[in-house]
């Protein structure tokens, strides 16, 4: 029997988990946190492309992941990336 694809809810949980992992380590391991936030954002982007009905929860996770990526980027001195992430987060938060 072939492999089953995870449900959208399962994928949404991964996006949330990456976000939470990043939030747990950002003070002591900002590089690791950045990877987790970027994975969360990418997961949300993929979920939003797959679903016709965009859920508020996915958008909320996405906006927080973008905002947190911006925060870490600012801490690391990458101001253009930080500004881009903050702008994306603001746009998503306004849609919610």
């Amino acid at each position: 029997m072939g492999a089953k694809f995870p449900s959208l809810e399962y994928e949404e949980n991964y996006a949330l988990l990456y976000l939470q992992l990043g939030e747990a380590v950002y003070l002591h391991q900002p590089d690791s946190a950045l990877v987790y936030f970027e994975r969360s954002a990418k997961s949300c982007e993929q979920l939003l492309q797959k679903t016709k009905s965009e859920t508020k929860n996915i958008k909320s996770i996405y906006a927080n992941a973008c905002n947190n990526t911006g925060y870490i980027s600012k801490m690391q001195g990458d101001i253009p990336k930080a500004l881009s992430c903050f702008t994306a987060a603001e746009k998503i938060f306004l849609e919610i």
Side-chain angles (χ1 to χ4, degrees), residues 73-88:
S73 297
K74 180 183 170 220
M75 283 178 40
Q76 294 178 337
D78 191 347
I79 303 304
K81 181 177 180 179
L83 184 58
S84 174
C85 292
F86 288 141
T87 302

Side-chain angles (χ1 to χ4, degrees), residues 29-45:
Q29 299 173 338
D31 291 336
S32 296
L34 185 61
V35 170
Y36 289 131
F37 294 144
E38 289 173 342
R39 285 183 184 174
S40 178
K42 183 173 180 156
S43 294
C44 289
E45 287 173 358

Side-chain angles (χ1 to χ4, degrees), residues 3-72:
K4 292 185 178 181
F5 292 102
S7 69
L8 292 178
E9 182 179 333
Y10 186 72
E11 291 180 44
E12 183 179 326
N13 288 337
Y14 268 113
L16 180 59
L17 178 63
Y18 286 133
L19 178 66
Q20 291 171 336
L21 284 170
E23 289 173 347
V25 302
Y26 83 95
L27 287 176
H28 302 289
Q29 299 173 338
D31 291 336
S32 296
L34 185 61
V35 170
Y36 289 131
F37 294 144
E38 289 173 342
R39 285 183 184 174
S40 178
K42 183 173 180 156
S43 294
C44 289
E45 287 173 358
Q46 292 171 347
L47 278 166
L48 290 171
Q49 288 176 357
K50 287 181 183 180
T51 60
K52 298 207 184 238
S53 60
E54 299 173 356
T55 68
K56 185 177 180 180
N57 194 38
I58 295 170
K59 282 190 167 189
S60 177
I61 295 168
Y62 187 30
N64 280 295
C66 289
N67 187 63
N68 293 350
T69 299
Y71 178 77
I72 298 294

